[in-house]
Amino acid sequence: MTAEKTSLTSSPIRDQLEDLHRQFSSITDGAVASHIVELARANPNAFGICIVTTNGGVYEIGDSRQEFTVQAISKPFVYGLALEDEGRAEVLKKVGVEPTGDSFSSISLDPQTGSPRNPMINAGAIASTGLVHGRTPEVRFNRILETISRYAGRELKMDQDVYSAESATGHRNRAIGFMLRNFNIIQEDPMPVVETYFQQCSILAHCRDLATMAATLANCGVNPLTGERAIQSEYVESVLGVMGTCGMYDYAGEWLYDVGMPAKSGVAGGVIAVLPGQLGIGVFSPPLDQKGNSVRGVSVCSELSRRWDLHLFNRPGIGKSVVRLRLNAGEFNSSRVRTLAETKILREHGQRIQVFQLQDNLVFSTAEYVVRALTECAGMECLILDFRYVISINDSAGHLFHDILCQLHAAGCVVLFTGLTNNSPLRRLIRERLGDRSDDLFRTFDELDAALQWSEDRLLARTMPDIPNTSIAVTRYELLNGLNREDVAVVQKFFERRNYAAGEIIIQAGEPARELFLLTRGVVTVFLPLEEGRRKRLATFSPGMAFGEMAMIDHAPRSATIVADTDVSCDLLTIGKLAALGATYPKIKIHILENISLELCRKLRKANREIAQLV
Amino acid sequence: MTAEKTSLTSSPIRDQLEDLHRQFSSITDGAVASHIVELARANPNAFGICIVTTNGGVYEIGDSRQEFTVQAISKPFVYGLALEDEGRAEVLKKVGVEPTGDSFSSISLDPQTGSPRNPMINAGAIASTGLVHGRTPEVRFNRILETISRYAGRELKMDQDVYSAESATGHRNRAIGFMLRNFNIIQEDPMPVVETYFQQCSILAHCRDLATMAATLANCGVNPLTGERAIQSEYVESVLGVMGTCGMYDYAGEWLYDVGMPAKSGVAGGVIAVLPGQLGIGVFSPPLDQKGNSVRGVSVCSELSRRWDLHLFNRPGIGKSVVRLRLNAGEFNSSRVRTLAETKILREHGQRIQVFQLQDNLVFSTAEYVVRALTECAGMECLILDFRYVISINDSAGHLFHDILCQLHAAGCVVLFTGLTNNSPLRRLIRERLGDRSDDLFRTFDELDAALQWSEDRLLARTMPDIPNTSIAVTRYELLNGLNREDVAVVQKFFERRNYAAGEIIIQAGEPARELFLLTRGVVTVFLPLEEGRRKRLATFSPGMAFGEMAMIDHAPRSATIVADTDVSCDLLTIGKLAALGATYPKIKIHILENISLELCRKLRKANREIAQLV
């Protein structure tokens, strides 16, 4: 009975897509594009569907690997490349972003400026191609091909026959090219630009490519299957913007109303749709409706939107679950082992230390929720913001955290950041904005536990007298609590005194446990050794406390390494000596065992309370 | 040093909005609407900004409580009411959804059908008003006023002077009314409909109202401040759809490209913008640009979108953090206290029980991530899906969970659902779809802990012989492990045998702890009493185990109530008897204390391992 990793052979999502594929296979409306013979030859029954999610899920049904030419689906991707090459402002001077209500081949130039209304009609697309950098037409086309290949996650090729045919018949597009030249929208010989446009339309892709290209736009420009960036994040919203209002030609308004996803279709039968942050859809079916969109493609997208609630404007409220855990040091503590007196103070005043463990993507709206909660905490001593579970932080969220840090600091509240990796954009952003004040204000800790201990120590230092690093009397060992002077004197004979220099290892993980330690002087820390020489802090002990007793009780090898933080003195009680003590002075051993049990009881109760807060 | 709840007097968000307000106050472009004197009298310097988030955050700056007439901002809300009254199909027959590229007052009727191109131009808006139900014009207008009031969260009123002036000068709209009558888009006398339209435009609101109305659309139709529903969820996407493509008149394409939020402006200077799932923006500033949109309103929305990354098409990937915790019973167990043998089996085979603790909103894309992970778990014994932290589940996600439940069941894997409240839509959906098979397949537990115990019990039952409910020998008490027969016989003299009927309370929370219990026969469960007679399961014990020993050790009052699940027999060891045992037979007491310490050690190590997994 071992845990085999067996997968289901299907998945509900695949099943639903298969249903849909079967159901929509019966639709035989529409006609295959016939303006060139290469497209007219397409099999009208070919039908593929593919979904790719931003977290890497792929679902393919039907003829999802049959290649066809992308045609107008190239337009948004080339527009994106033009934005990267020329910048948004320059591109907007040449190509508008208003829907026309006209068909795809309408020339639709602004009567004053001559600029095409938007980059999804042919005029705007040709103008966009002309804005792509490239010393020669070959260089320009290769840059386009490489870019679209990055979106698709594989090396795409061009269909030479389709290109030749498009070129042989594309006189209307040549007319558009010269109109654009006339208005100086294209400032070079327009003929090579139009040829490049024919080439980009002739790039071969299959359904899975389309879905991956769409998912790359949904994923802020990063291909979710290869992890490669295909377009700078800042231009993705612009590409999706024009797809949203102009992607489906004069059907755009109804499309956004009904389907609710930016989309683009091609005359060879391809359709892509993008649900930002979530997924990309690719459909292939050659027969087209009168508006030039694939009949089944439109139906599949529409049905998926309805069935899966994919409409962009139908989103549940985000926010509250950005706080994964909210804790305070009155109920949840660092692993630093505390004396009874310290424990009592923490239980009473620990709520002055609040922990916000955050998660997911921090954008304005999720950060707003956190910052609003933080503004109510100005009376606290310490606020710990744990970013360990945060997936991404955008700049607007980063600025809010910077601002609230400054405001809380001014109100006398210390803010601690944990779980930020060194490369975190948040760390960089706050450091930059704080400048000289960074070291002072911006306290970061790798681990929540360390930040919590720092905050607890600070709280305790304010309430309790400093304990100087001198040896304490044996009578103050917690393990000997309640024993009278004579009994303590007896026990002391069984001890063995040891001294360690700061940094010295007292206990090595993996060794057998032969003794318990009573800390007389100094501080020790317990570490769990991790891979690559890293280690995780587990606990810290201070004078009067015992450590290493658990392994002695359950005869387990040492589970952790214990290191002297300062110069340290200990009294050791070995297994043999404890047995000898029991043989001669059983009542004293009973007393010690009762003290050990009591301490274990306390820790267990606390651990159970903490677990109840976490699950 | 108590934890005072002190709030910051400001917040970074408020500060940023104040900056923006100051900065944009200097813009003096544009001209106040002048077609009626009531609007022409508006103070061009009046300027308010308000943000309302879907989780209830409110930020108001400037003249945010100054009332003005909503004008065209009423259009999407009335359109929504028409959709509710007539259904989407009927409304689409009368009013289109295509952007026109024309200005707001253009008549723009479809030359064939006479239907207005979209509901945001005057013709479409008047047609929408005519579709709102109401026996008399008064009833119709009152329904509109009440609806918009629900969006705003307060009782709004109409400005009688503005209405009178609009009515006195609105001849073009009367012409539109008769054109609509001519095409049978309006099938009654159009004049009262046009009057109602003038009235709806004359409803008074302030900036905070606008932001709340926008936030209500962002929040799937529920006002986030009052919790009241203003429009059925299914129509929200349609209202936002027309705002997205047609809301800013002939500026719509550029708006969606640049600002990336569905929006609507009014000629009195109001602008609303909606970021679905996140927030609503309301701005008020009377001077208008040439397209009839508030100059500062457009600037503020555009700047906020840029500064706060609010563009609809720029969303980080969602998905992975929907799984809050992933646990397995090899590492994390129910609170049922197990014997050593059971613990060993769970540690070895517990990974055949997997727990997925889910959180946040379950929509298609988040559910897809979970379902994909589940399809890889078909080889497991039990899969527990904990919905305790789930905020919402839509139907598409619900269907996926139904489907995967059936598929995993067919593969021999038991799926358990926890944390669903009785009213959960998921529960209802799955029950309905399973029908007769529901009782068989759909296992739900209130608490994760109970589901985990059930799964562990099932796993153990397959591997271990059934223990019949008869008394076990005293020698099998874990507390007496390692004692020889003679010693056990000695201890037995200190015991007191007790019997309890099933359902009887053995220990009552709050009572002083005077004894520990050794369970001879039957099963007991530990409960924490909660409010209103409810109780939370903490642990279950079976024969051979001790319970109640912790309170005896630390002299705390009983923290929980212990109830006999079956008929139960126990041996009691009181504090007094244990002391007496120690006095006469110290070595036996030492042995018992060592066993207690050992058990506490084991539990504490396990608890610490579990905590490490949870934080």
Side-chain angles (χ1 to χ4, degrees), chain A residues 1-3 6-8 11-13 15-16 53-55 57 59 79 83 88 97-99 220 237-238 240-242 245 250-251 253-254 256-257 262 277-279 307-309 311-321 324-325 332 349 351-352 357 359-361 363-365 368-369 371-372 375-376 378-379 388-389 394 396 400 403-404 407 448 459 550-551 553-554 559 586 589-590 593-594 597-598 600-601 603-605 607 610-611 614-615, chain B residues 1-3 6-8 11-13 15-16 53-57 59 79 83 88 97-99 220 237-238 240-242 245 250-251 253-254 256-257 262 277-279 307-309 311-321 324-325 332 349 351-352 357 359-361 363-365 368-369 371-372 375-379 388-389 394 396 400 403-404 407 448 550-551 553-554 559 586 589-590 593-594 597-598 600-601 603-605 607 610-611 614-615:
Chain A
M1 198 177 66
T2 56
T6 317
S7 289
L8 289 175
S11 94
I13 293 161
D15 292 351
Q16 290 192 19
T53 72
T54 52
N55 55 60
Y59 304 90
Y79 180 67
L83 288 171
R88 197 180 281 115
V97 293
E98 286 298 329
C220 298
E237 64 187 48
S238 304
L240 291 174
V242 291
T245 49
D250 40 342
Y251 185 53
E254 200 178 326
L256 200 66
Y257 183 92
Q278 305 194 37
L279 52 81
R307 206 180 273 195
W308 289 350
D309 280 313
H311 201 292
L312 193 60
F313 294 150
N314 177 15
R315 299 290 97 198
I318 68 167
K320 292 181 187 179
S321 66
R324 183 176 186 274
L325 280 175
F332 188 93
H349 302 292
Q351 70 274 30
R352 294 176 61 82
Q357 187 173 62
Q359 65 181 355
D360 215 346
N361 298 299
V363 296
F364 174 80
S365 298
E368 183 273 337
Y369 181 75
V371 163
R372 182 144 47 96
T375 59
E376 286 169 10
R388 178 178 165 195
Y389 290 96
N394 75 5
S396 65
L400 288 182
D403 293 355
I404 193 75
Q407 292 190 357
L448 171 58
L459 184 78
M550 281 174 70
I553 291 168
D554 62 9
S559 58
K589 181 165 176 187
I590 286 175
L593 284 174
E594 284 174 342
S597 304
L598 183 62
L600 289 171
C601 252
K603 288 180 183 165
L604 183 58
R605 283 192 196 276
E610 293 182 350
I611 289 175
L614 299 175
V615 177
Chain B
M1 199 177 67
T2 56
T6 317
S7 289
L8 290 175
S11 93
I13 295 161
D15 291 353
Q16 290 192 19
T53 72
T54 52
N55 55 60
Y59 303 91
Y79 180 67
L83 288 171
R88 198 180 279 114
V97 293
E98 287 299 329
C220 298
E237 64 187 49
S238 304
L240 292 174
V242 291
T245 49
D250 39 342
Y251 185 53
E254 200 177 325
L256 199 65
Y257 183 91
Q278 305 192 37
L279 53 80
R307 203 178 275 194
W308 289 351
D309 282 314
H311 201 292
L312 194 61
F313 295 149
N314 177 14
R315 300 290 97 197
I318 69 166
K320 292 181 189 181
S321 66
R324 182 175 187 275
L325 281 175
F332 188 92
H349 302 290
Q351 70 274 29
R352 295 176 60 84
Q357 186 172 62
Q359 66 182 355
D360 215 346
N361 298 300
V363 296
F364 174 81
S365 299
E368 183 274 336
Y369 181 76
V371 164
R372 182 144 46 96
T375 59
E376 286 168 9
C377 294
R388 179 177 163 195
Y389 289 97
N394 75 5
S396 65
L400 288 182
D403 293 355
I404 193 76
Q407 292 189 358
L448 171 58
M550 281 173 69
I553 290 168
D554 62 9
S559 57
K589 182 167 178 186
I590 287 176
L593 284 175
E594 283 174 341
S597 304
L598 183 61
L600 289 170
C601 252
K603 288 179 184 165
L604 182 58
R605 283 193 196 277
E610 293 182 350
I611 290 174
L614 298 176
V615 179

Side-chain angles (χ1 to χ4, degrees), chain A residues 110-150:
Chain A
D110 184 292
Q112 261 98 60
T113 63
S115 65
R117 296 284 194 184
N118 71 64
M120 299 296 102
I121 55 171
N122 288 2
I126 294 168
S128 303
T129 302
L131 291 168
V132 171
H133 291 181
R135 246 183 332 99
T136 66
E138 289 69 35
V139 171
R140 180 180 273 159
F141 174 65
N142 280 332
R143 289 192 64 236
I144 290 172
L145 185 64
E146 280 162 16
T147 298
I148 297 183
S149 296
R150 264 199 296 282

Side-chain angles (χ1 to χ4, degrees), chain A residues 95 111 119 394 481:
Chain A
V95 185
N394 75 5
N481 263 355

Side-chain angles (χ1 to χ4, degrees), chain A residues 549-587:
Chain A
E549 78 286 11
M550 281 174 70
M552 203 180 76
I553 291 168
D554 62 9
H555 307 297
R558 298 296 186 190
S559 58
T561 296
I562 300 189
V563 178
D565 284 352
T566 60
D567 286 352
V568 157
S569 299
C570 293
D571 279 327
L572 270 65
L573 183 58
T574 64
I575 294 183
K577 288 286 177 67
L578 184 59
L581 176 73
T584 325
Y585 305 97
K587 303 231 163 115

Side-chain angles (χ1 to χ4, degrees), chain B residues 433-551:
Chain B
R433 292 199 58 184
L434 288 176
D436 289 347
R437 300 166 68 210
S438 179
D439 289 342
D440 233 27
L441 261 71
F442 188 39
R443 290 170 198 278
T444 62
F445 290 80
D446 287 348
E447 289 183 32
L448 171 58
D449 191 58
L452 198 49
Q453 183 189 321
W454 186 93
S455 306
E456 290 167 358
D457 286 349
R458 188 170 181 276
L459 184 80
L460 291 169
R462 291 187 170 213
T463 4
M464 298 184 76
D466 247 5
I467 304 154
N469 190 18
T470 53
S471 299
I472 60 158
V474 176
T475 47
R476 286 181 50 202
Y477 287 147
E478 291 184 347
L479 218 60
L480 306 187
N481 264 354
L483 281 183
N484 61 32
R485 265 181 196 285
E486 292 76 42
D487 289 345
V488 170
V490 167
V491 177
Q492 204 164 359
K493 287 188 228 144
F494 291 83
F495 287 159
E496 188 184 317
R497 174 62 57 103
R498 287 272 180 83
N499 294 305
Y500 302 89
E504 205 175 328
I505 289 176
I506 302 174
I507 286 178
Q508 181 80 55
E511 286 178 353
R514 295 199 189 88
E515 62 273 300
L516 67 79
F517 295 74
L518 295 145
L519 190 54
T520 316
R521 182 174 64 97
V523 175
V524 304
T525 294
V526 187
F527 291 104
L528 198 66
L530 299 176
E531 286 167 12
E532 299 165 17
R534 287 174 308 120
R535 54 197 201 172
K536 182 179 161 63
R537 247 178 100 266
L538 289 184
T540 302
F541 292 84
S542 45
M545 294 173 173
F547 60 87
E549 79 285 13
M550 281 173 69

Side-chain angles (χ1 to χ4, degrees), chain B residues 11 29 55 135 276 327 374 423 496 512:
Chain B
S11 93
D29 298 345
N55 55 60
R135 244 180 337 99
L327 304 167
L374 290 175
N423 298 323
E496 188 184 317

